[in-house]
Amino acid sequence: MEIKMLDLTKIFVSKDKREVHAVDHVDLTIPSGKLIGLLGPSGCGKSTTLYLLAGLLRQTQGQIYFGEDEVSDMPPEKRGIGLVFQNYALYPHMTVRENILFPLENLKVEKEEAKKRTIEMAQLVGLGEMLDRKPKELSGGQQQRVAIARALVKKPRVLLLDEPLSNLDARLRLQTREEIKRIQRETKITTVFVTHDQEEAMSISDEIVVMKDGVIQQMGEPQHVYDHPQNLFVAQFLGTPQINVFNGVVKNKKIYVNDMFISKTTLEDQTVKVGVRPEGFIVDLEKKSEFKFEIDLVETIGRDTTLIIEVPGNEGGLLDKITFKAIVDASLKIKAGDWVHFNIKPEKMYLFDLEGKLLK
Amino acid sequence: MKKILLSVFALLTVFVLTGCVEIATTTTTEVTTTTTSGTGTTAKVVMDLPDEEVTILFWHIYGSGKTALLDKFIDEFEAMYPNVTIESQSQSDYNTLREKINTGIGVNQVPTMALGYPDHFAGYVQAGAAYSLNNFIYSNIRYEVMDSTSTIAGEFVDVSLDLENFVPGYLAENNQYVGGQYYSMPYSKSTETMAINRTVVKQHVAAIRAAGIDVSDEGFFSHTTPLTFTQVQTLGTILLNDTATTDVANFQCGYLLNYDSSGNMFINMSRQFGAPYTNSAGEILINNDTTKSMLNYINAMFTSRTFVLPNQFGQLYGSTNFKYGDICMTVGSTAGVLYNIPTSLDVAANLKFGIFDVDFLQVPQPVATSGQAVTLSDGTTNYNFTGSLSSVQQGPNIGIFKNASTNEKLFAWLFIKYITSAENTALWAMDTGYLPVRLSAYTSDVLIQLTPTFSTTYVDFLSIATDYWTADGDVDWAATDERWDYLHSSMVANIAKNQALYYQYDPAFPAGSSSAGSATIRVEAGYCLENIYNKSKTPTQALAFLMNQIDW
Amino acid sequence: MAEVFVKNEKSYKVQKIISNVLTFSFLGAIAIVVLVPFYWMILTSLKSSTMIESIPPILFLKPSQWQIWNYKALFEIVESGPRAGQPLFPFFTYMKNTIVISIITTIGTSITTILAAFAFARLNFKGRDIVFAIIIATMMIPGEIFILTNFLTINKLGWYDIMNQSYSDAIFAMTLPFMTSVFYTFYLRQTFKQIPNELYYAAKVDGTTDFKYLLKVMIPVAMPTIITIIILNSMGAWSAYIWPAMVTTKDQFRLVSNGLRGAFTDSGSGRTDYGQQMASAALVTAPLLVVFFVFRKQIMRGVSRSGIKG
C-alpha cells in the first residue's frame, strides 16, 4: 500500500498563543511494501507525522492517501493501521493472548478465526510459547514483539512504529531490530519507522526520510543519502562520528581552510563550509600536504585509529566545535603530539554554502 | 350575658377545632353544664368528639424492646379513639431527636408530639414551634365519645387537666417558659437518692447515737428527715478510716459520700445554700460570694474525704466502689438504684464487706426546714448560709408542636393525659424505675401485673419498704417471696415520694448570643467541681474558669 | 584470610538476627496495638456487667466463665405485648439496612467516581481544570456543613416525609448524598493519569470508543485503586451514623450503627450495657473481618498502590 502525503501541515498553538509548525507542507510518497525510516532530531515533527498518518492527530491542512483511498478525515480505527509505541503500550492486565486478540474483538472477527490469527501472529514474532503470560513477565524486547503482533494481527494496510527500540538495551535493540526487519520482509507491509537514531534508521530501512523543523530534508536509500547529503543538516545528522565541518574559502578554483590548501574545485570564489567525513582523511606520509595538525589524542579500536585534534579558538577554521576527528589506518602508529599532514578523499568531502545548501 | 359569651366562644372553638362549617352535626348537644373539678367549678361546653381519621406522630428515644408498655398504652388509647393512629417512633438518642426537630422546624417536618428535656422545649418555644398546653389545661370543653366501636363509647371526656394532682416541682419545671405557659408535661421523671452501707453503719450504732444522730439498732436512719451536712461530717469522723483505704476489721471506709453527677451536685448544692445559679430567662448568676463560699466548703470536704467524686476511681458512677466498700454512701439517680446492690453475681473477691445490706435515704440537706440559717465548719473555717431543702428532679417531659392540625393536637393532648393518668404513671414508674408524675399515683389501688406470677398495686409496692423498715430490717428478704425482689425499688420510691415535697428544677434555656445554654452550663459546672476535686484548680480559679467557659 | 571471612559471616549473621528481632518485635508491638481493641471487644462481650466493672479489670476468661447470654439476648424474642414475636433488638433488620445502604452507596460512588475521574483525567473539554479545581476546593468544606443543605434537598425531593416515609424513600435519603466523593474522584483521577497516553492511542487505533476504553482498559488497570475506593467507601457506609439517624423516621429503617448506639443504654440512668453492646459490635464487625480476609490481597495491593508501569 502506497502512502501519499500532500501538502501535509500540522500547526500547534502553544500556551502563549504562538503557532508552531510541527509538520510543514510535507509532500511525501512512501512506496508500497517498503520499510521507511523517518529520521530526525527530537522535535523535528517525525512523531507528529506518524500520528497524522495514524489519525490520532488531525492535520491542519493537506491530504493523506493510502493507495487510492483518501484517509485524511478517517478516524484511526478505520484507516487500517497498526501502531507500535516506544513504551509498548500493552494492556498490563491482559495476557499476551488477550493483548493480541483485543483489536480483533473490536473488529468483531469471528472467534475461531481470531484465535487462529492470534496464534499465528505470536508465532510470527516468536512468542508462541508465551501466550498466557502477562506483559510484566516478559522482557522489554518480548513486550515490543507482542506490541508488533498486536499491531499486525488485524492485517493493517500500514504499520507505524514510533521509536519502537528506544526503551530497549543495546543487545535487545539489535535483536529486535533484526526481528522487525524480518517480520516486515515476511509480511511485506508498508512500514513507517520513526527514530532519532540514524544508525538504527540506516540499518533497518529500505529508504530513509530525514526531517527537520517539520520539513523533509532528503529522502532516499540510506547509503545514498549518506553519500550524497543534500544539505549540511543531513550530512551532519548521518554518520558516526559526525562529519567534520570547516569554514573555508574558494579562491581561484582552490579550497582553503585557514589558509591551508585542501583541494581543487570548479566553483567560483566564495566562502564555503567544508564537510569532511572522518573516514575521508588520508595521512600524507610524505608530509607534502599543507593541511596539517598536531594530534592531541589517539584512540585505537581494532583496525581503525581515531585521531582527535583540538583546535582551540577556532584557529583551524573549524565550524562550531573545538575538536575534529579523523579515522585512519591503525597500522600507521601515530602518537599524540605528532604533526600529521592530511589529504582528503574527494568523495568524502562536501562543500556547502553558508545556508548549508550543497554546492555541486 | 356570660352564657351568651360562652356560647359564642364555643361556636368559635368548634370552627377552629374541626374546621367545619356545619354546626348542626358537630354541636348536637349544645348543653352547658357545670361540673365540680378540683378546687373550683368550671362551666363545660359539651361537644361531639371529632371522628375524622387522625395520625399522631410521637417521637421518643425508647429503643425497640423497651417500648412494650408504651405500645400497650397506645393500643388502649387507639381502642378508646378508633379514629386515631399513633405512630410511635424512636429517634435513637436525645441529641438526634432534638437535632431532627430543630432541623425539621424549618421545613415543616415536625412530629405531632415528642419527648424532650426542658432545655429542648425552651429551644422549641424560642423557635415558635411548641404549642402552649394552657389551651388544653384550662379548656372548658367536654367531648362526648360518639363512635360506637370505642371502648368508652358514650362517655364524656374533659379536655382540661387537674394540675393539683401533679408533683408541684414538675409543674414548676414545665411552666418556667416565657409567659408562664405550659409547653410540656412531666413524663419520665427521676431524682437522686442516697444509698448507704447499712452493714457498716450497724457496727457504729452506739458511737453514732453518742454523737447525737438518731439511728436504729439495725443501722436505719430516718427515712422522712434527711441527714444534715453537719451530721454527714460527724458520720465521717466515725465511718471514715484514717487513710484512704477501707479497713474491713473496723468497718471503716476510705471515702464517705460519693456524688455520681458533679453537675447535679453543683446545681443542687447551690440551691441548698441559697447561692444564685441561673434563671429561666437565661441569666447566669453563678459568680457570687455564696457560690465561692460553697465551693470552698466542698473543697474542704473533698480534702477530708467526706465527699468524693467517681473520678477518684476512674469511674463514671460511684456504684462499683460503693459495692466494693471503698465508699460508705453514694448519691445517684433513682433510675440506677440496682447498680448499688452487691449480689452473688459480683466478683466476690472485690467485695470488701461481702454482700452487705443497702439502705436508701434522702440526699443530705443543709437544714431541717427551708430558710434556716446554718453554719458549717471544716474544723478551721466557718461557712454561713441560709439553707433550703432541695433535691434534683430530672428526666424528659413531653410536649406538642404547633404545626399539627387542630385534631392532631387534641388527640395528642388526650394521649398525654392518658399516659400520665394516675394508674398509668404508676404502672410506668414500676415498669421502668421512673417516678410517678402525679401525687395521686401514690395512692393508686389499681392492680398491676409486674411479672407473670406477681402483681401489686402502687400502694402495696410502697409498703414493701415500709414493712421492712418497720420490722427494723428483720426480714429475710432474700427468701423466695417475689415481693422482696422489689425491696430496693420500693425503698427508692418511698424516698423519692418524700423528697418530692422539695423538688427544685434546673432552669432551662437554649444557648444565647452571650452565654451557653442550660445543658452546657450543667456540664461545665460539673467540670468545675472535678477541677477542684483533682486539685488542678483552686475553688476561685475553678469558678473563674467556669464563668469564662459559659459566658462570652 | 579465611578467618576474616568467617568472622564477617558471623557478624553478618548476628546483624541479621538483631535486625530480625527488631523488625518482628516492632511488628509484634503494632499487631498488639491493633488487636487489643478487638480482643477487648470480644472479651467484654463475654463478661457480665459486674465482671466488666471489676477492678482490676479481668484480662482473661475461661470458657466456663463466658457469658454467652449477651449474644443470646441479641436474638431474644419479645414474648408478649403488641410486639410479640418480634426480636427485642432487631439486629437482622439493622444489618440488612446497613448492607443495602453499603451496597447502594458503593455502587453509586464507584460509578460517579469512575466517570468523573475519567472525564477529568482523559477527556478534553473547556474549563476542565477550573471545574476540577473548584470541585477539589469543596474538600476544604467540612462535611457537617452539608448536613443542613443535604437535609433540605432530601426534604424537597420528598424523601423525608415524617408522616409517611417509605422504605425506598429512606434508602434514597440515606444514600443519595453519598453517591459522590470528591476525594475518591481525585484519588482515581491521579491513578488514571498515570496510565500512559499511548495506551489510549493504542486502544483508539484498535477501534475502541472512549467508553469502551474506560471499561476495558482503564478500569481493569486501575482496579487496585478502585477496590481500595470500594472498600473505604463501604466501610464508611458501614459506620455512618449521623446522617442515617437524621433522615430516617422509623426505627426499622435505621442502620446497625444507630441501633448499637441507643439500644443498650438505659434511658433513665444513662448507663450502657457494655456486654450486650460489645456482643452486637462483635457481630457487626464479623462481616467486615470476613470481607477483609477474603479480599486481603486486593486490599493490600490497593493500599500499597502497585503503580502502573509505563
Side-chain angles (χ1 to χ4, degrees), chain C residues 129-235:
Chain C
D129 295 341
I130 293 170
V131 171
F132 188 66
I134 291 171
I135 289 178
I136 289 296
T138 61
M139 272 168 65
M140 288 189 282
I141 304 171
E144 286 76 11
I145 292 189
F146 292 123
I147 285 189
L148 189 67
T149 52
N150 281 341
F151 184 82
L152 294 176
T153 308
I154 294 303
N155 183 58
K156 266 266 153 59
L157 290 169
W159 293 333
Y160 182 72
D161 180 350
I162 57 171
M163 285 307 277
N164 29 166
Q165 185 183 42
S166 66
Y167 187 57
S168 58
D169 287 346
I171 297 289
F172 286 140
M174 282 191 274
T175 52
L176 185 78
F178 299 99
M179 294 248 197
T180 61
S181 161
V182 174
F183 175 69
Y184 297 151
T185 303
F186 172 74
Y187 182 34
L188 189 57
R189 172 187 176 264
Q190 298 312 100
T191 305
F192 279 171
K193 283 227 141 187
Q194 288 177 5
I195 300 175
N197 280 344
E198 282 80 3
L199 229 54
Y200 177 65
Y201 293 142
K204 277 265 143 184
V205 169
D206 289 344
T208 52
T209 56
D210 279 353
F211 188 68
K212 200 169 168 196
Y213 172 65
L214 171 66
L215 233 53
K216 289 248 170 169
V217 180
M218 285 186 110
I219 292 178
V221 169
M223 212 28 132
T225 304
I226 292 170
I227 287 178
T228 307
I229 289 172
I230 288 174
I231 290 162
L232 291 177
N233 190 76
S234 27
M235 275 162 58

Side-chain angles (χ1 to χ4, degrees), chain A residues 99-134:
Chain A
N99 263 288
I100 300 176
L101 205 59
F102 188 72
L104 297 181
E105 280 175 6
N106 292 322
L107 290 172
K108 309 238 168 0
V109 173
E110 195 249 331
K111 255 194 185 160
E112 285 306 310
E113 164 76 6
K115 268 189 194 165
K116 213 184 87 200
R117 272 160 71 175
T118 301
I119 293 167
E120 269 175 27
M121 267 310 138
Q123 279 163 352
L124 176 73
V125 299
L127 291 172
E129 309 296 309
M130 306 193 172
L131 277 168
D132 293 313
R133 295 209 191 166
K134 287 274 178 72

Side-chain angles (χ1 to χ4, degrees), chain A residues 79-91:
Chain A
R79 293 192 180 192
I81 51 158
L83 186 53
V84 175
F85 296 94
Q86 177 177 351
N87 61 6
Y88 330 131
L90 297 179
Y91 308 119

Side-chain angles (χ1 to χ4, degrees), chain C residues 249-262:
Chain C
T249 59
K250 297 190 185 104
D251 200 42
Q252 64 264 35
F253 298 163
R254 301 233 162 81
L255 309 187
V256 119
S257 54
N258 307 114
L260 278 186
R261 172 77 178 272

Side-chain angles (χ1 to χ4, degrees), chain A residues 9-10 51-52 55-62 72-73 79:
Chain A
T9 300
K10 176 69 188 176
Y51 279 24
L52 289 173
L56 292 169
L57 289 174
R58 178 100 168 75
Q59 66 276 11
T60 313
Q61 79 181 64
S72 315
D73 296 324
R79 293 192 180 192

Side-chain angles (χ1 to χ4, degrees), chain B residues 7-81:
Chain B
S7 304
V8 170
F9 177 73
L11 280 171
L12 283 174
T13 316
V14 168
F15 282 132
V16 174
L17 282 179
T18 61
C20 177
V21 199
E22 281 201 50
I23 306 155
T25 57
T26 51
T27 58
T28 42
T29 47
E30 201 183 309
V31 182
T32 309
T33 57
T34 310
T35 58
T36 311
S37 155
T39 51
T41 55
T42 321
K44 292 287 181 191
V45 180
V46 178
M47 285 188 273
D48 286 2
L49 188 70
D51 59 356
E52 68 170 78
E53 291 290 328
V54 165
T55 302
I56 287 166
L57 197 53
F58 174 30
W59 279 7
H60 51 78
I61 53 96
Y62 302 119
S64 45
K66 295 206 173 116
T67 54
L69 183 55
L70 187 62
D71 288 342
K72 178 177 163 286
F73 289 157
I74 291 172
D75 278 355
E76 288 166 3
F77 186 80
E78 286 175 349
M80 286 160 68
Y81 305 101

